[in-house]
Amino acid sequence: MPPYDEWNKIDEEEEDELQDLSHLESKKDVILFCIDCSESMLELREDPNDPKVKTCHAYTALDAAMQIQKKKVIVGPNDLVGILLFNTTRKAESTSRTQGSEIKRNCYVYQPIGPLSAPKIQELIQLLDAFREDPHELESNFPPMTDGKRVPMGDVFTSCNWVIRDGAPKTATKRVFLITNEDDPHPGAGSKQLKNSSRTTLIDLTQAGVTVEPFFISTPDKPFDVSKFYSSVLLPDSLVDEDDVDPADPSVLPESISISRIEDLLMQMRFHESPKRALFSIPFELAKDFTIGVKGYSLVTEQKRGSYKYFFDLGERMEVVTTRTVYVDEGRQAEVDRTKMVYGTSGGTGAEGEDPGKRVVKPGQRPFYSAEDIKTFRTLGREPGLKLLGFKDLSELEFGDNVKHSNFIYPNEMSFSGSKRTFSALLKSMAKKKKIALALGVTRRNTTPMFYALLPQEERVDEAGWTDPAGFHLIPLPFADDIRSAAVERGARASESVKDAARAWIDKLSVKNGAYPPDSYPNPALAFHNAQLQAMAFGEEFNPEEFEDLSAPDLDMIHRRVGNLVEAWKRAVANDEAAISFETAKKEKEKPAKAGTKRKADTDMDMDVMETEIRSKFSEGKLNKLTMDQMKPFIKSKGMSVSGKKKADLVAMVEELLTS
Amino acid sequence: MNQGGYERIEEYIPIAQPSAGTLARLDALEPTDEAGDPLDALIVAIETQVAYLGKKKWTRNIVVVTDGENPIEVKDLDGTVSELEEYGVNFTVIGIDFDDATFPSKEQDKSPIKVENESWYTKLNKEDRTYAPTAFIGTCALALREIRRPDIKVTGTTLTGTTLRLGDNDSRPDKAMQINIKTRSETDSEDEKMDVDEDENGVPKEVTYVQLERDTEYYVDPRDHNSDEEDVKMEEPDEDEGLSNKVDPALEQVDKDDRVRGFKYGTTYVPCPDGRLDRLPTKHGIDICGFFPKKNFRRELAMGEVQYIWGDPDEAVQQVAISSITQAMYEKGVMAIARWVPTDDKDPKMGVLSPCIGTDVDCLLWVGMPFADDVRKYTFASLDHLVSKKGEEITEHPYIPTENQLEAMDNFVDNMDLMEAGDKDEEGNRGPWFETPLSYNPAIHRIKQAHFHALTSDLAINPLPPPHPELLKYWTPPSSCPQTITGCHRRDGHVHAKDDDDDIFLLDVKPRASRVKKAEPASSQSKAADETEDESEDEAGAKTKPTSTPPPKNDCGNPLPTPAPSLSPQINPGRAPKLMSRAARPRRKVELLEWFEVLRETCLKEDEIDAWNTFLKELCAKCTTEPGNCQFWDEVQRVGRKLSLISDQEA
């Protein structure tokens, strides 16, 4: 049986039971970096980033592996990683049978597959640092096979198979990142046989549930031609995930990644770093009796800072404490069987003599609902699936209609054949007509049906070589219950001239063909946290001064470009007639009501004048002479709250504002 | 029974949040033989409310529920009305068995006193508003109908003050911008709740349900993680977790206080007794980073709820500042990239600001956008570019739609357009179907309904009624939007691709727009069937169906009599639904199919072509629309020619 069937099955089972995404995190991911250590991979070359040091392909590959490990240790602390080198004459030291001790000749397990830890990553960092000191470090550690000899690729795949068999849990997603620059490992005599054995062993590997993701290094002096060897060896699923395997259709060549600039290796690996896992696989009903299959993926998910865990000291190690919630009948001091629980409104009937926590009824009466009832209330009996309701203009998808992140759907040929072309035709038609689709959907069992807008995305390749895949973005729409009314319905509006003054600086800060660039903004809070965590794990000092927040606005650039324009705009705002008349009108209106009350400080008072006065009192050390009504607007103008503050507090706040 | 000197008036349930107990008390309410005066009751109600609320500025409602059968002494009405006015009370009268003005109906056999009283109450609601300024009069039936409708809870999310900044306000304030703003969420996910869990505790004479308390227990796994045991554990399905009370026996329970806080770095333990590392120092406010054209906004990246941003409502200058930026952005067609820190030292968020020009106020809308860490880049196989083993581009493949298929899909998309499928506006123009402000979260309202129902009913004899239709109104496409997709072939629950040389594409789409009759007789059976379905579906909506037809067969399970030639005139479309319901029974199906074949033959011979064709179309429509019987229609199609439409040539 092909392995993907098993995977699909696991997927289904989990879908039944779990409602959140935690199963994705709980499923372990195993990556075995399989790095070619041939002479050409070890050949020293200039480092384009730093002319003082040398580099080589193998170094870049190991460095990329280290970077991936550093990321994985934070994002997927339970994931397993290993490194296997091939085309090296180094042999395993240990004679006892451990992982990687019994593999094919000229393959060497540098890091056995295992959980990540600080020492494991540090070991690799030390190796990389040693190479930077002495460029022969890698060659002496892992001597390459000489005289153009190469290990048969079949042996490499078999070794990978054995290492993964010994080191990886059965249910994990297992992948081999194959990194090589040799497009024709077996030229000349016997090539056909070696090709065949490569393919056979690769099939074995695939059947063990392992995906091979090749990263081919192609340079101007050594271009990589996939058709020489790999196109007849690689299986169609080597780059796409389990849902796209179509063994019956060998006519389609798998895509493979050729890296023309070795510096891009890390970036390409990052694209493939997290295994592609479908969140859901559901039918999509376009009309009655007209259904296709789709799989949903989460392309945007908030990556949260890991929270602390509770540990228990077991002596030899610290172990994470797991929690379990139990429901207790206080009266009997006993834990309650969950299957016997029923659900309803809290509190009793309030009838005389009744305990508010209890409810007494006659036998046979049923005042509460069962867990099953509650489920149907939530789903109204709908099974997972998408149902098309119709099409609307793209402009109907409003900016404000957003509650949470979208998912991405892609056809699933395995559940309904013909899904791909139907999906493709629908996508093209909607993109052409600038339409969105409206659908009712339940993506996971026991969740509430929601309305979704389906936003078509056509395939598009960007400059960086990244391809926007073809598919639909499934955007959840808010329910009426989620929409809040505007609290402010009236406000003073700017005159034409003030708007023009704002336009002047907006023009200067606009990027002509720009867009929001997610890649430019690594989450600073997350990075700050992770940097501290890494330093603590490595036993290093963390220096917050060195931390750079890449999301902070470039203040110098802003001032250079628009400082004067902003100043002019501020003057225009202060003199805006609408503001003045609106304020006067408001006062007129409020007069009768406010008659007799203490006059408030004039909030219209020019901020500059006010600030000057406060600053002068401050420099004289006479802040106490100011009234609260004088200080309040100033503090407020700095964006701080003054409510409930006493005068002494206000003075302290002003002092702080002026000294900082 | 006398409250404040008013006879037969009593404060029965003090003002408080309603509970199950409130309903129980109401249920136990017993009327007196003598009547109290409704106006007296109103005065007591106003006083009770005033006493309870004091000077609080809450919304005040008073509802009078009456059948109007008792005399009212109309005295000092003006004083009462002015009190209602003074406190801004929303005054509602719910009349039992009153005439319904909104849903015109008149109740019969009313007593003279009821007629008199009803007209007096109704006067309260006259347009001139002589009496109560905010009175609303309605019938009890109307009130009961309205109360079942899904009702949106109006939540006043509070305004939060912060600042919108541009540039460096600390050291270069002259040339930097700082505006005081108020923010509030525009969308805010509501969750459904069902509060409490109860335990059934069987006691013979009566059953006690006890409200449960939640408790947490702590466990550690003392086993070595690298042992084989762990592998085994991982493969165990966690199906029962959450339902059963089973605990893995290998786990050891530990005391809450023996736990130590820390972080995991892979398998490395990083102690951290405070439970938090240093946070990135930040200053609250929204910083503008730059602007980009609106057309380049990627809607699918929006992450969370939407927030309004207004200039401080108390400061006109701040409002003008926001207004000028909003208008300039709107005019230029740009959005701003911005960084929001909710309060000092909180994690910053990135997002975009979009201008929003309202009727009387300009504001900005914020939505969060992903950080680099939040975006996953998965590769997907191309849907268009398939490359053969030889490295050549493949243009014809079962994955690639053909021209015909593309055209059919275009027609399908046009047919299912919702832009003019909504309700008519005042001028009679149809707007788009589906509006978010009218789409209710079914779970919230269904659970609310369930709560109310369980409080007043015994579920054993009176189960929860179906959900309010308003909850489900967007669950099926509007009737004006024909789903004319036919011709897909279902077998074993799957849609199968046909052979490529068949030249009929899979998931055949036959839209109304392309319903041009083919000149030549249908060359293949399925094509004929497609046409049949197509036309009949369109007609099904327009036709009114005759109601009765003589049964074509006896109902005792005996074989059907062979139809006599004279049967054909009886064929009329009205028979289809009845036949259909019979077809639901498997053993009848075969009989029916056979009978249909004979019928067709008869019609052909008797020159009743039209009768047969109409009958078949009607049957198809019946089968393929709700509640329908698609399976049966498939069977009919499978018979093929013998049960197809009779073409002119054949005739």
Side-chain angles (χ1 to χ4, degrees):
Chain A
M1 186 196 277
Y4 50 82
D5 273 351
E6 281 166 34
W7 296 0
N8 278 349
K9 225 169 74 196
I10 289 158
D11 228 338
E12 304 294 346
E13 273 169 20
E14 279 173 344
E15 233 167 83
D16 287 348
E17 290 307 315
L18 295 155
Q19 289 167 29
D20 55 2
L21 306 184
S22 58
H23 72 289
L24 288 186
E25 274 77 52
S26 69
K27 195 170 177 183
K28 292 185 183 183
D29 182 35
V30 176
I31 297 177
L32 179 63
F33 293 93
C34 181
I35 302 170
D36 189 348
C37 264
S38 65
E39 282 179 302
S40 73
M41 284 292 286
L42 288 169
E43 190 185 313
L44 295 179
R45 45 192 82 219
E46 299 295 325
D47 190 329
N49 298 325
D50 186 354
K52 277 174 274 175
V53 292
K54 296 273 184 188
T55 182
C56 68
H57 289 342
Y59 171 81
T60 313
L62 282 168
D63 187 60
M66 184 270 289
Q67 300 287 357
I68 297 286
Q69 289 188 0
K70 270 180 152 181
K71 181 89 181 291
K72 277 244 159 233
V73 75
I74 304 270
V75 178
N78 297 320
D79 293 344
L80 310 172
V81 176
I83 298 177
L84 181 141
L85 307 173
F86 64 99
N87 287 327
T88 173
T89 55
R90 175 145 176 189
K91 291 190 179 70
E93 299 82 13
S94 155
T95 45
S96 67
R97 192 192 175 276
T98 53
Q99 199 193 120
S101 62
E102 286 179 25
I103 55 170
K104 297 279 184 181
R105 270 170 62 98
N106 299 321
C107 293
Y108 172 69
V109 175
Y110 170 65
Q111 273 183 358
I113 288 179
L116 286 160
S117 65
K120 188 167 174 174
I121 299 172
Q122 280 170 303
E123 186 196 349
L124 185 52
I125 293 174
Q126 278 158 15
L127 175 75
L128 293 165
D129 287 348
F131 172 83
R132 283 301 200 188
E133 294 289 316
D134 173 11
H136 298 287
E137 185 71 20
L138 284 179
E139 206 178 329
S140 56
N141 264 304
F142 315 113
M145 294 168 78
T146 47
D147 307 330
K149 276 188 209 144
R150 303 188 64 89
V151 58
M153 283 313 291
D155 286 3
V156 176
F157 293 139
T158 305
S159 301
C160 289
N161 202 345
W162 291 346
V163 170
I164 287 174
R165 180 196 61 199
D166 291 348
K170 288 189 188 70
T171 50
T173 54
K174 287 160 283 203
R175 294 179 299 159
V176 169
F177 281 16
L178 175 67
I179 303 151
T180 180
N181 66 343
E182 183 54 65
D183 58 356
D184 194 7
H186 310 305
S191 79
K192 196 165 177 218
Q193 211 178 346
L194 285 167
K195 215 182 241 185
N196 280 343
S197 81
S198 301
R199 190 174 166 87
T200 318
T201 48
L202 186 58
I203 289 171
D204 289 345
L205 193 59
T206 311
Q207 283 179 345
V210 182
T211 316
V212 175
E213 302 205 0
F215 297 86
F216 297 139
I217 301 166
S218 178
T219 48
D221 49 311
K222 192 171 166 50
F224 200 101
D225 183 354
V226 182
S227 67
K228 273 189 185 164
F229 175 78
Y230 282 99
S231 64
S232 54
V233 168
L234 290 176
L235 301 170
D237 57 327
S238 54
L239 263 181
V240 285
D241 74 343
E242 73 263 32
D243 60 341
D244 283 310
V245 187
D246 188 356
D249 180 31
S251 64
V252 183
L253 183 76
E255 293 175 65
S256 59
I257 290 187
S258 282
I259 296 143
S260 49
R261 292 169 64 243
I262 184 73
E263 299 81 52
D264 292 340
L265 178 65
L266 177 63
M267 193 186 75
Q268 286 295 342
M269 276 194 193
R270 286 231 183 280
F271 290 156
H272 293 260
E273 173 192 296
S274 39
K276 193 171 104 187
R277 286 171 185 156
L279 275 184
F280 52 82
S281 171
I282 53 175
F284 179 16
E285 183 187 323
L286 298 179
K288 198 165 160 48
D289 292 343
F290 183 46
T291 301
I292 61 172
V294 292
K295 279 198 171 197
Y297 300 85
S298 178
L299 300 187
V300 187
T301 325
E302 194 184 342
Q303 203 60 246
K304 291 200 175 104
R305 184 197 299 129
S307 71
Y308 63 83
K309 291 187 160 58
Y310 281 103
F311 290 82
F312 184 76
D313 196 344
L314 283 169
E316 80 277 17
R317 67 189 158 96
M318 300 297 284
E319 181 58 48
V320 179
V321 177
T322 53
T323 57
R324 179 171 162 264
T325 306
V326 290
Y327 290 89
V328 184
D329 175 350
E330 293 260 285
R332 289 188 292 151
Q333 280 300 316
E335 198 187 320
V336 172
D337 187 350
R338 292 200 180 197
T339 53
K340 287 198 178 157
M341 289 193 334
V342 290
Y343 301 81
T345 314
S346 63
T349 55
E352 269 182 53
E354 201 190 80
D355 179 339
K358 282 186 185 168
R359 183 107 164 244
V360 183
V361 297
K362 292 190 188 78
Q365 271 194 6
R366 202 157 79 86
F368 296 114
Y369 297 101
S370 68
E372 197 54 39
D373 289 338
I374 302 293
K375 272 184 195 169
T376 59
F377 297 159
R378 206 182 288 138
T379 62
L380 273 77
R382 266 197 97 76
E383 290 294 305
L386 271 180
K387 178 182 172 184
L388 179 73
L389 298 170
F391 300 94
K392 284 181 140 186
D393 292 349
L394 188 59
S395 57
E396 291 280 300
L397 180 58
E398 286 181 37
F399 180 87
D401 280 345
N402 206 69
V403 272
K404 52 183 169 186
H405 70 81
S406 63
N407 285 322
F408 182 75
I409 56 171
Y410 186 81
N412 179 12
E413 193 75 13
M414 300 308 289
S415 62
F416 290 91
S417 83
S419 291
K420 269 200 177 175
R421 56 172 151 184
T422 309
F423 187 95
S424 182
L426 180 64
L427 181 70
K428 285 183 203 307
S429 184
M430 280 169 61
K432 185 174 74 187
K433 293 173 187 287
K434 294 192 165 43
K435 291 279 179 187
I436 54 162
L438 185 71
L440 177 69
V442 176
T443 53
R444 303 188 69 80
R445 205 168 290 277
N446 297 332
T447 55
T448 299
M450 281 191 90
F451 293 104
Y452 292 95
L454 269 67
L455 180 67
Q457 171 170 297
E458 288 193 290
E459 196 169 309
R460 189 175 51 214
V461 181
D462 72 7
E463 307 89 43
W466 166 252
T467 308
D468 275 340
F472 290 103
H473 294 286
L474 198 58
I475 299 171
L477 295 174
F479 287 115
D481 313 76
D482 304 327
I483 299 171
R484 304 281 175 266
S485 61
V488 178
E489 285 163 350
R490 268 175 61 75
R493 302 185 110 151
S495 62
E496 196 68 15
S497 61
V498 180
K499 179 214 67 193
D500 289 342
R503 174 77 192 259
W505 57 262
I506 288 174
D507 280 343
K508 290 273 181 192
L509 288 175
S510 293
V511 195
K512 204 174 180 188
N513 258 321
Y516 175 84
D519 293 343
S520 318
Y521 299 116
N523 185 343
L526 196 63
F528 192 78
H529 174 88
N530 292 343
Q532 280 181 83
L533 190 58
Q534 183 184 312
M536 285 164 87
F538 285 4
E540 293 165 358
E541 272 301 305
F542 173 71
N543 183 1
E545 299 296 315
E546 283 173 16
F547 182 82
E548 194 191 353
D549 179 353
L550 296 170
S551 75
D554 184 347
L555 297 179
D556 290 336
M557 181 274 288
I558 289 172
H559 279 267
R560 208 170 49 241
R561 282 204 199 160
V562 300
N564 292 332
L565 293 170
V566 168
E567 200 177 14
W569 166 77
K570 279 164 82 173
R571 268 199 307 275
V573 171
N575 297 324
D576 185 74
E577 284 186 10
I580 296 162
S581 63
F582 191 84
E583 201 72 7
T584 325
K586 204 171 82 181
K587 284 217 189 79
E588 287 294 320
K589 211 173 140 199
E590 284 173 2
K591 239 175 204 165
K594 296 261 172 176
T597 57
K598 201 175 145 194
R599 203 184 76 90
K600 270 194 162 185
D602 193 355
T603 46
D604 278 1
M605 181 170 78
D606 194 358
M607 280 292 170
D608 293 342
V609 177
M610 181 184 73
E611 189 157 343
T612 319
E613 172 148 6
I614 290 177
R615 278 184 190 275
S616 80
K617 282 278 185 296
F618 172 68
S619 55
E620 294 163 28
K622 289 177 181 168
L623 276 180
N624 275 321
K625 298 270 175 201
L626 290 166
T627 65
M628 286 176 73
D629 285 341
Q630 279 173 306
M631 286 185 284
K632 274 182 178 173
F634 171 73
I635 296 169
K636 267 165 92 178
S637 76
K638 300 295 174 192
M640 289 163 81
S641 165
V642 292
S643 63
K645 295 280 194 305
K646 296 205 173 73
K647 184 164 181 178
D649 299 331
L650 295 181
V651 170
M653 284 167 87
V654 171
E655 271 178 354
E656 197 188 323
L657 281 168
L658 293 180
T659 42
S660 65
Chain B
M1 281 297 246
N2 293 350
Q3 183 111 10
Y6 293 96
E7 287 177 8
R8 293 176 294 277
I9 309 281
E10 187 192 353
E11 183 185 338
Y12 185 57
I13 301 168
I15 297 175
Q17 278 207 335
S19 69
T22 316
L23 288 170
R25 290 271 288 155
L26 278 177
D27 250 0
L29 183 64
E30 282 187 24
T32 57
D33 295 339
E34 294 169 88
D37 189 297
L39 263 181
D40 287 352
L42 185 56
I43 292 164
V44 173
I46 295 170
E47 281 175 3
T48 313
Q49 203 172 48
V50 169
Y52 181 79
L53 286 177
K55 284 188 175 170
K56 284 190 196 126
K57 283 186 175 175
W58 289 13
T59 316
R60 297 172 189 224
N61 294 297
I62 289 179
V63 182
V64 172
V65 183
T66 180
D67 62 359
E69 296 283 6
N70 296 303
I72 307 170
E73 193 182 327
V74 184
K75 59 183 177 193
D76 191 27
L77 185 62
D78 291 344
T80 313
V81 167
S82 67
E83 279 209 323
L84 287 175
E85 250 174 14
E86 188 187 334
Y87 295 111
V89 178
N90 301 319
F91 181 55
T92 308
V93 177
I94 294 179
I96 293 163
D97 296 338
F98 278 21
D99 295 339
D100 196 331
T102 51
F103 194 67
S105 75
K106 278 207 183 290
E107 292 291 329
Q108 306 297 314
D109 306 328
K110 270 190 271 197
S111 65
I113 191 160
K114 182 169 183 137
V115 174
E116 182 66 23
N117 279 338
E118 192 177 332
S119 80
W120 182 78
Y121 279 122
T122 315
K123 266 190 275 174
L124 288 173
N125 192 29
K126 283 294 175 230
E127 275 181 18
D128 58 358
R129 304 248 171 224
T130 344
Y131 300 106
T134 55
F136 179 80
I137 317 291
T139 65
C140 190
L142 174 70
L144 288 176
R145 268 204 313 277
E146 283 300 309
I147 210 105
R148 290 205 175 97
R149 290 174 73 88
D151 180 36
I152 302 297
K153 189 176 68 180
V154 183
T155 325
T157 325
T158 47
L159 294 180
T160 316
T162 185
T163 56
L164 181 67
R165 294 185 296 248
L166 178 76
D168 179 0
N169 277 285
D170 295 334
S171 52
R172 290 166 278 187
D174 294 351
K175 309 214 164 163
M177 171 191 95
Q178 174 150 319
I179 309 175
N180 293 342
I181 51 170
K182 296 278 181 186
T183 65
R184 180 188 187 175
S185 49
E186 195 208 344
T187 54
D188 199 350
S189 287
E190 280 286 330
D191 288 329
E192 73 279 358
K193 291 175 197 85
M194 195 79 177
D195 317 324
V196 187
D197 315 326
E198 315 235 345
D199 166 35
E200 197 172 348
N201 183 1
V203 182
K205 276 191 180 167
E206 53 188 25
V207 185
T208 312
Y209 289 90
V210 184
Q211 199 165 323
L212 301 178
E213 300 291 327
R214 225 185 248 258
D215 203 0
T216 313
E217 292 174 353
Y218 304 92
Y219 292 91
V220 288
D221 185 353
R223 288 171 294 191
D224 186 357
H225 276 255
N226 296 323
S227 71
D228 291 342
E229 269 176 279
E230 199 208 4
D231 255 14
V232 179
K233 196 183 128 218
M234 281 187 57
E235 283 170 46
E236 275 172 24
D238 287 335
E239 275 173 35
D240 293 335
E241 208 186 27
L243 267 180
S244 80
N245 294 35
K246 268 185 279 172
V247 185
D248 187 339
L251 295 181
E252 276 174 24
Q253 191 165 0
V254 295
D255 196 80
K256 190 179 174 184
D257 299 332
D258 289 343
R259 302 171 307 159
V260 206
R261 279 190 279 210
F263 289 91
K264 270 187 99 170
Y265 184 81
T267 53
T268 311
Y269 160 70
V270 179
C272 179
D274 301 342
R276 57 174 280 184
L277 302 175
D278 289 340
R279 276 173 181 266
L280 179 73
T282 52
K283 191 180 166 200
H284 82 101
I286 304 174
D287 278 302
I288 292 178
C289 302
F291 299 87
F292 67 95
K294 199 170 117 188
K295 63 176 169 46
N296 291 348
F297 173 63
R298 298 193 63 169
R299 179 65 175 72
E300 69 273 17
L301 292 179
M303 295 269 285
E305 287 140 10
V306 179
Q307 303 267 343
Y308 290 107
I309 295 170
W310 292 286
D312 188 328
D314 295 331
E315 295 175 71
V317 179
Q318 314 288 350
Q319 293 162 26
V320 167
I322 287 288
S323 167
S324 68
I325 296 171
T326 307
Q327 289 184 26
M329 282 170 68
Y330 185 81
E331 182 185 88
K332 191 174 163 62
V334 291
M335 289 187 183
I337 299 171
R339 178 181 187 262
W340 186 334
V341 177
T343 52
D344 286 353
D345 293 337
K346 274 277 168 61
D347 296 352
K349 285 181 163 59
M350 291 304 295
V352 294
L353 299 172
S354 170
C356 173
I357 309 288
T359 336
D360 285 313
V361 69
D362 300 328
C363 68
L364 293 167
L365 293 178
W366 155 279
V367 74
M369 295 291 273
F371 283 112
D373 318 57
D374 304 332
V375 181
R376 299 229 179 120
K377 295 199 164 170
Y378 293 147
T379 48
F380 292 87
S382 171
L383 290 179
D384 295 335
H385 304 290
L386 304 181
V387 180
S388 75
K389 285 276 179 187
K390 290 174 199 143
E392 288 158 0
E393 174 107 19
I394 298 171
T395 49
E396 279 182 31
H397 189 276
Y399 288 176
I400 301 175
T402 62
E403 282 300 317
N404 281 346
Q405 287 164 344
L406 289 171
E407 198 192 318
M409 190 55 84
D410 279 351
N411 289 327
F412 174 67
V413 172
D414 290 342
N415 262 328
M416 295 273 288
D417 199 282
L418 298 174
M419 291 308 288
E420 285 174 11
D423 293 335
K424 280 185 187 156
D425 65 7
E426 287 136 11
E427 287 157 23
N429 302 319
R430 286 192 182 275
W433 184 84
F434 183 86
E435 290 166 66
T436 45
L438 296 176
S439 73
Y440 301 101
N441 181 335
I444 291 182
H445 298 286
R446 183 69 174 153
I447 286 187
K448 210 193 259 172
Q449 185 192 11
H451 266 302
F452 288 151
H453 185 79
L455 285 173
T456 52
S457 316
D458 175 9
L459 300 175
I461 49 167
N462 185 8
L464 185 66
H468 194 277
E470 197 69 10
L471 280 188
L472 306 178
K473 71 172 170 185
Y474 289 133
W475 281 39
T476 39
S479 49
S480 60
C481 207
Q483 294 183 65
T484 47
I485 287 258
T486 56
C488 60
H489 288 246
R490 293 193 317 158
R491 279 178 222 119
D492 325 319
H494 286 261
V495 177
H496 285 279
K498 290 183 181 175
D499 295 334
D500 280 336
D501 54 6
D502 207 338
D503 205 28
I504 297 171
F505 40 83
L506 167 72
L507 306 172
D508 193 0
V509 186
K510 288 273 178 175
R512 195 217 300 259
S514 69
R515 190 161 55 93
V516 185
K517 279 217 174 138
K518 291 195 175 101
E520 78 278 2
S523 58
S524 85
Q525 286 156 1
S526 58
K527 259 189 186 163
D530 287 345
E531 274 183 23
T532 315
E533 276 193 27
D534 178 21
E535 287 162 26
S536 52
E537 275 206 14
D538 289 341
E539 284 156 22
K543 223 171 258 174
T544 47
K545 289 160 191 101
T547 47
S548 75
T549 171
K553 59 185 172 65
N554 67 41
D555 231 340
C556 312
N558 296 329
L560 284 160
T562 312
S566 61
L567 196 79
S568 48
Q570 287 179 9
I571 298 170
N572 74 46
R575 184 175 284 166
K578 286 209 164 178
L579 291 174
M580 246 271 309
S581 64
R582 303 229 160 90
R585 285 181 255 163
R587 48 195 284 240
R588 286 296 196 181
K589 205 160 54 191
V590 184
E591 289 169 17
L592 268 180
L593 287 175
E594 281 169 9
W595 187 72
F596 283 175
E597 277 180 42
V598 181
L599 194 62
R600 185 179 187 272
E601 230 166 35
T602 318
C603 287
L604 195 58
K605 280 184 201 144
E606 298 270 321
D607 198 20
E608 289 287 349
I609 317 287
D610 284 347
W612 165 258
N613 284 357
T614 319
F615 167 78
L616 191 65
K617 285 173 193 170
E618 192 62 30
L619 180 76
C620 160
K622 267 289 150 192
C623 286
T624 50
T625 53
E626 287 294 330
N629 187 345
C630 280
Q631 224 183 344
F632 182 68
W633 181 246
D634 286 350
E635 307 246 81
V636 172
Q637 280 182 298
R638 216 166 293 156
V639 175
R641 190 62 172 253
K642 283 184 186 166
L643 284 183
S644 66
L645 286 181
I646 302 172
S647 68
D648 290 347
Q649 268 190 3
E650 197 184 349

